Amino acid sequence: MERLKHIRNIGISAHIDSGKTTLSERVLFYTGKIHAIHEVRGKDGVGAKMDSMDLEREKGITIQSAATYCEWKGFEINLIDTPGHVDFTIEVERSLRVLDGAVLVLCSVAGVQSQSMTVTRQMNRYNVPRLAFINKMDRTGADYKRVTKQLHEKLNLNAHVIVMPMGAGDTLNGVIDIVTMEAVTFEGANGETIVRKPIPAAFQDEADELRENLMEALGDIDDHIAELFLDGEEIPLEMIKAAIRKGTTGLTFVPVICGSAYRNQGVQVLLDCVTDYLPSPYEVTNHAFDLDNHDADVTLNNDPNKPLVMLAFKLEDGRYGQLTYVRVYQGVLKKGEFIINARDRKRVKVGRLVRMHSNEMHDIEEAKAGDIVALFGVDCASGDTFTDGGVNWSMTNIHVPNTVIDLSVAPKKKGEETKFSRALNRFTKEDPTFRVRHDEESGDTIISGMGELHLDVYIERIRREFGCEVVVGEPQVAYREAITTAIECDYTHKKQTGGAGQFARIQARMIPITEEDGPDYEFVNQVVGGTIPKEYIPSCDKGFQDQLQEGLLLGKPVIGVKMEVFDGKHHPVDSSDMAFKVCAQTLIREFYHKAHPVVLEPVMKVEVSVPNEFQGSAVGLLNQRRGIIFGTQAEGEWTTVEAHVPLTTMFGFSTELRSATQGKGEFSMEFFKYAQAPKPVQEELIKQAREKKQQGKAA
């Protein structure tokens, strides 16, 4: 257990362009993992270590999460640098699923942005303790107090500064540790020499005020600190650190550290905070389901002597075949031994076991509970659980958001269909938010994803990695359908042929699910008395689900539907699984329109930042696109406008915004929710769908 206490599995997450990859680069340098610093958009052409894809280096953004490991003062740190762009949100999602702690990076000028909120929601979903690092304190307009206030107000986090900057912008010259009440400066060519000294007089009052705020906050965590603070007595350093750690690991407190990764200010202090305040695997409770005992909840134990349980959270197809990233939660994983996939019970041999340092592989013989490693030659899907066969347990899967944009794609040259197909198969395996389907009417291959950039990256990867040029159609919005009225349905399916016939009767309620975060589909069995035998109930469920994949307005998936089966009839000879499945499908088709279906369109949360003089132009552009403005905020010379806007109106927005703001405006958007499209839009979409269907039949 002593080894486990000295492991930290952490992720670095943030809004795009907050400096995550630059911070990761400094962490690797100061821990001795790399011996030279390269910038994300550096002139040396090398690029940051953690951006190993050519596309990442060209675009200056992180596309795939990258894993590495390093050591700091006797602690082993497994680090994952995740993308900031919302289109690659699954990379953040699956990384946070297996991490014990995280660093939320914020820009000291832009503050809490849309993706900061998304990342916070993801951390909350997996109960991940976090530190907040307010980066870029060297920039003009940097204001750590404003960003800390936003952490409280926008993210509802109990955030308190434990490391403040000495100066801001050009005057930044080190940080002040509020816990030890010392000034810390970073000297040498790359800030590698740490010097601790008394706090300069110019910063003493500010530091005292933050110290008082911190002690008040820690008094809510530790009663003893509250007593000492009220009595004006000295509070021992170890007691302060223990309280910060207790609050952080208990998700009731978020320590805030300020600095500038680019200027080499404060990174080593952040590393100290990672080891001091974020939990070890030993302190985090993880759960699995016992598949042999009705999915009973099981608490996993970090003990290496227990049966092996691990989760495959990320797949990559590299030079040597499929690379599977896994987090070991219990037991020991050894090279050459056999493991079993809990999903399909397939037994596979662990051929090669490695620790990843970005795109470099370091071979190892075994991995123990708490480790994040990678294996080769294991055919599996993202989210699969593996055991050594000693238990039949499965861990919860990863939350996968809905796709919002479709593109029709085809290989440019004849004879390249095999390459094209190989590429699509690989990407769907790697990325659960990249979907592929075949459009029966048009015969087109349709790819779906989280945004234009998401799909652009995959099209470029097909060209580069598979040598296949691609013809791309116009982007299409991924519409959905929903019912608005609860109805009762009664349908009998009868078919008499020469031999045995088919008979099934289903009586069911079709009910809209109105909760904001409700499931897309829910099935409830209320049949009593065996009017529909138990063995046919799953066929009813399957029939409903199959038909709801294709609504009758646009042919799009129907979401937010609860199907309650409460009665029916069967025939001792003519009833079968197929009869009940067909009956369920036909029931949906027969009664669908009586439930008053509507078309749903994806609505995006859009954040536009423009110089103050262009605020009117930005609001005007959003209004033209059926945008609903819900917030404007002026910070210095810039104004941020927040709005909910239908995705279908956002194509070409970036060009118009640039021309309306002399090239100075920026925007980001992320999926917010599906909402009912206005009646004229629905009518036009239904008309287009009918015409397309008729053209398909004519062809």
Side-chain angles (χ1 to χ4, degrees), residues 34 62 144 185 194 229 237 293 415 423 484 524 575 605:
I34 58 174
T62 302
Y144 78 92
T185 56
I194 303 163
F229 177 65
L237 181 63
N293 187 21
T484 57
V524 180
S575 287
K605 184 180 175 190

Side-chain angles (χ1 to χ4, degrees), residues 9-13 96 99-106 116-133 151 154-160 162 244-257 270 273-274 277-279:
N9 291 318
I10 66 162
I12 296 183
S13 304
L96 289 173
L99 293 170
D100 303 320
V103 178
L104 173 65
V105 183
L106 302 135
S116 318
M117 297 180 188
T118 303
V119 166
T120 298
R121 280 200 304 274
Q122 291 170 317
M123 289 178 186
N124 293 345
R125 183 179 293 132
Y126 299 114
N127 295 321
V128 178
R130 73 216 71 172
L131 308 175
F133 182 65
L151 286 169
K154 288 190 171 186
L155 302 183
N156 200 27
L157 298 175
N158 182 24
H160 290 272
I162 62 166
I244 294 174
R245 183 177 184 80
K246 182 183 175 186
T248 306
T249 56
L251 303 171
T252 59
F253 184 85
V254 176
V256 177
I257 300 99
L270 174 65
C273 293
V274 164
Y277 307 129
L278 288 180

Side-chain angles (χ1 to χ4, degrees), residues 9 80 94-100 311 313 327 329 372:
N9 291 318
I80 299 183
R94 58 185 167 193
S95 299
L96 289 173
R97 171 67 182 81
V98 298
L99 293 170
D100 303 320
L311 183 75
F313 67 96
R327 160 77 193 262
Y329 284 96
I372 292 175

